Amino acid sequence: MEHLARGWPLTHSLPLSAASTQHLQNKGQLTLTQTLPIGRSRKEKPSVTLRFGCLRGTLFATALAFVTTAPVLAANDDIKATNFLLDNGMEVVVIPDNRAPIVTHMVWYKIGSADEPPGKSGIAHFVEHLMFKAATINHAAGEFDRAVAEIGGSHNAFTSQDYTAFYETVAPPALEQMMSFEADRMFNLSITDDDIKTERDVIIEERRSRIDNDPQAVLGEAVDATLWQNQPYRIPVIGWMQEMEKLDWTDARAFYDKYYTPNNAVLVVAGDVAPETVKALAEKTYGTVPAAPGLTRIRPVEPGQNTKRTVTLTDARVSVPNFSTHWVVPSYRTAERGEAEALDLLAEILGGGTRSRLYQQLVVKQGIAAEAGAHFEGTMLDASYFSIHGSPRGDAKLADIEAAVDAEIARIARDGVTSDELDKAKDRYVRSVIFAHEQQDSIASMYGSTLATGGNLKDVEERPDRIRKVTADQVKAVAARYLVSDHSTTGYLLPLLPNTEN
């Protein structure tokens, strides 16, 4: 493929993609903290739970120094990941998996909404939309879509706070074609004024659909803006409406030119393909894209949490009240060794499913909750959060659920957890890693999200062993240290009752 000198020619004559107006989605997955990636509507994002994504690791430059062409053992002995660097600094990870004649090709850019300049919220997601049109100097808008459809493949993209990714799942013979398209739009994106207007309208409608029309999502934005006092995680991935409306060609071009470069990207290829084949194709396609000046991700530091805050939304569309409490905690990248693993197991023991303490106590034994759970999001570049949530059942009040949840947290912080429940939590966790290997997009996402947030292959591959080494004392310690009610933010979503309308 020929790569022209990077520019931004106006190509007003390019046709609009017929698919360009189909980018709305609301999968009902937005949590109170709205941390799920904003993605495309055509296909669900990879099914992996990115709980393994942001492991303890190093910054971008150091991560590159770790790469090697020597195979290393993956979590599953049958799958051995290898990695190498192209001359332009693009890191490539290959995960051979010959169980089926398909291949998943993912490009992860180390850029997300938390890297956006002030006043330009939503620009990362906006550029993702523009990239997905794939109008370039060499290809008209929609040509990439048609090529994928003709070979029976699928493709999509998503944006999170810390990274933006594009991926295709196709038959192995089509891998070079996918690489050529992706490498082309990495460097030769060509956007018209009509593209800008159309896609801006699309993301604005997406915001109305996913956020403004969903009380849970509206509350989630308010909780995020309250929980994070200094971190850009307080700004929604999709952006604030008044800033989205002003995003323009100049904003998009500046963001694209700065961040969409090979040395700011990780290519992950998983499937029925040999590493040497991927290397040859990567050098032929991505290898011709010139590197840009290196980037350093500079993020504000979150101050210590020292207050208890609450956010309440009352809405006529709400039938059952619920609440969620959030604490700022370290992520895998920022935690002391063993703490993030202990937080993951604490979430599993406290609220990780029907066998968890919250579910057994509140739903099964006391019968006061319709649902209750806990979550630790370890996949963040900077600090992260731990949350618990619940909603009442029958005559129970929201206060009853909160009191019962507080009692369970206090019990763990005071008495710890048993060796039996810790062992079972470890087994469930490690099994989830093994099951993730059953899907190409899951295993590719596991590596991609880790490397896009400063980790390396070992962070993924050694994860099961690090989970197995967590002690009951460590779980007790993180509960006592971080789940302090005076340092929390709680969101309440309440129905609008007749006697409260005025």
Side-chain angles (χ1 to χ4, degrees), residues 308-482:
K308 178 178 176 63
R309 284 152 276 163
T310 62
V311 180
T312 302
L313 174 63
T314 302
D315 192 289
R317 292 169 291 181
V318 176
S319 57
V320 179
N322 65 62
F323 85 100
S324 68
T325 299
H326 302 248
W327 294 267
V328 172
V329 300
S331 66
Y332 269 93
R333 183 174 173 274
T334 63
E336 297 176 9
R337 193 165 186 84
E339 272 200 331
E341 291 86 347
L343 285 165
D344 251 331
L345 291 175
L346 173 62
E348 181 67 33
I349 293 169
L350 187 60
T354 58
R355 285 167 289 188
S356 68
R357 288 195 178 197
L358 292 182
Y359 192 91
Q360 287 297 316
Q361 280 293 328
L362 278 63
V363 177
V364 177
K365 295 181 180 178
Q366 299 182 37
I368 59 175
E371 55 91 19
H375 177 68
F376 166 57
E377 182 53 69
T379 61
M380 308 291 277
L381 182 67
D382 300 309
S384 186
Y385 71 91
F386 189 104
S387 66
I388 53 98
H389 65 272
S391 61
R393 184 174 73 188
D395 295 331
K397 306 298 183 186
L398 210 51
D400 301 329
I401 309 301
E402 278 195 272
V405 167
D406 290 344
E408 286 303 318
I409 294 173
R411 195 155 69 93
I412 292 180
R414 182 185 64 244
D415 304 328
V417 299
T418 69
S419 57
D420 181 62
E421 63 184 339
L422 180 60
D423 289 342
K424 289 180 178 176
K426 291 178 180 178
D427 288 344
R428 292 196 297 272
Y429 195 98
V430 172
R431 278 202 300 271
S432 72
V433 176
I434 295 172
F435 291 154
H437 285 74
E438 296 300 315
Q439 294 181 305
Q440 280 183 8
D441 54 1
S442 295
I443 186 65
S445 292
M446 200 181 298
Y447 280 91
S449 58
T450 299
L451 270 63
T453 48
N456 55 52
L457 297 192
K458 285 187 176 180
D459 290 326
V460 178
E461 293 152 0
E462 294 177 353
R463 185 61 178 284
D465 288 338
R466 290 166 59 178
I467 287 291
R468 292 189 182 100
K469 291 178 181 177
V470 172
T471 67
D473 285 343
Q474 287 178 299
V475 176
K476 176 183 176 181
V478 295
R481 179 175 181 180
Y482 294 112

Side-chain angles (χ1 to χ4, degrees), residues 81-362:
T82 62
N83 64 342
F84 54 88
L85 272 184
L86 300 180
D87 290 342
N88 57 15
M90 186 174 187
E91 184 173 4
V92 183
V93 177
V94 186
I95 312 164
D97 177 7
N98 306 118
R99 291 172 295 180
I102 56 174
V103 61
T104 297
H105 168 266
M106 308 185 86
V107 181
W108 295 73
Y109 291 94
K110 301 173 183 178
I111 178 66
S113 63
D115 301 294
E116 295 167 337
K120 305 296 181 184
S121 64
I123 187 64
H125 179 231
F126 185 40
V127 173
E128 178 227 298
H129 271 247
L130 296 173
M131 281 280 287
F132 213 78
K133 294 182 74 71
T136 72
I137 293 173
N138 302 305
H139 298 288
E143 193 172 330
F144 194 178
D145 283 345
R146 289 190 290 273
V148 173
E150 287 172 0
I151 59 176
S154 61
H155 68 149
N156 217 318
F158 54 88
T159 303
S160 78
Q161 291 97 335
D162 295 320
Y163 45 74
T164 302
F166 302 82
Y167 64 95
E168 299 83 33
T169 298
V170 296
L175 179 59
E176 180 177 359
Q177 185 184 22
M178 298 299 104
M179 287 182 162
S180 295
F181 271 111
E182 284 287 12
D184 184 40
R185 67 179 175 181
M186 178 187 289
F187 189 66
N188 290 320
L189 193 65
S190 179
I191 299 299
T192 69
D193 291 338
D194 285 343
D195 293 333
I196 293 292
K197 183 179 184 306
T198 299
E199 288 305 315
R200 187 172 55 209
D201 289 344
V202 168
I203 61 172
I204 287 173
E205 186 57 33
E206 184 175 349
R207 186 193 155 80
R208 292 193 182 105
S209 172
R210 299 191 61 183
I211 307 296
D212 300 338
N213 290 335
D214 183 348
Q216 191 81 64
V218 172
L219 177 64
E221 280 194 345
V223 169
D224 274 349
T226 307
L227 173 69
W228 301 104
Q229 298 176 291
N230 198 39
Q231 268 283 346
Y233 294 153
R234 69 198 314 275
I235 300 172
V237 173
I238 200 167
W240 299 116
M241 180 65 86
Q242 72 276 16
E243 294 181 351
M244 295 169 66
E245 292 172 339
K246 296 179 181 177
L247 295 176
D248 59 20
W249 180 85
T250 302
D251 298 328
R253 175 176 179 173
F255 199 84
Y256 172 72
D257 284 348
K258 183 175 182 180
Y259 294 112
Y260 280 75
T261 66
N263 48 325
N264 196 43
V266 178
L267 169 64
V268 181
V269 179
D272 189 17
V273 63
E276 53 269 25
T277 301
V278 173
K279 186 172 185 178
L281 294 177
E283 289 173 341
K284 181 180 178 181
T285 53
Y286 294 104
T288 64
V289 181
L295 296 171
T296 301
R297 305 178 87 168
I298 300 175
R299 300 275 184 83
V301 177
E302 185 70 8
Q305 301 278 313
N306 51 18
T307 56
K308 178 178 176 63
R309 284 152 276 163
T310 62
V311 180
T312 302
L313 174 63
T314 302
D315 192 289
R317 292 169 291 181
V318 176
S319 57
V320 179
N322 65 62
F323 85 100
S324 68
T325 299
H326 302 248
W327 294 267
V328 172
V329 300
S331 66
Y332 269 93
R333 183 174 173 274
T334 63
E336 297 176 9
R337 193 165 186 84
E339 272 200 331
E341 291 86 347
L343 285 165
D344 251 331
L345 291 175
L346 173 62
E348 181 67 33
I349 293 169
L350 187 60
T354 58
R355 285 167 289 188
S356 68
R357 288 195 178 197
L358 292 182
Y359 192 91
Q360 287 297 316
Q361 280 293 328
L362 278 63

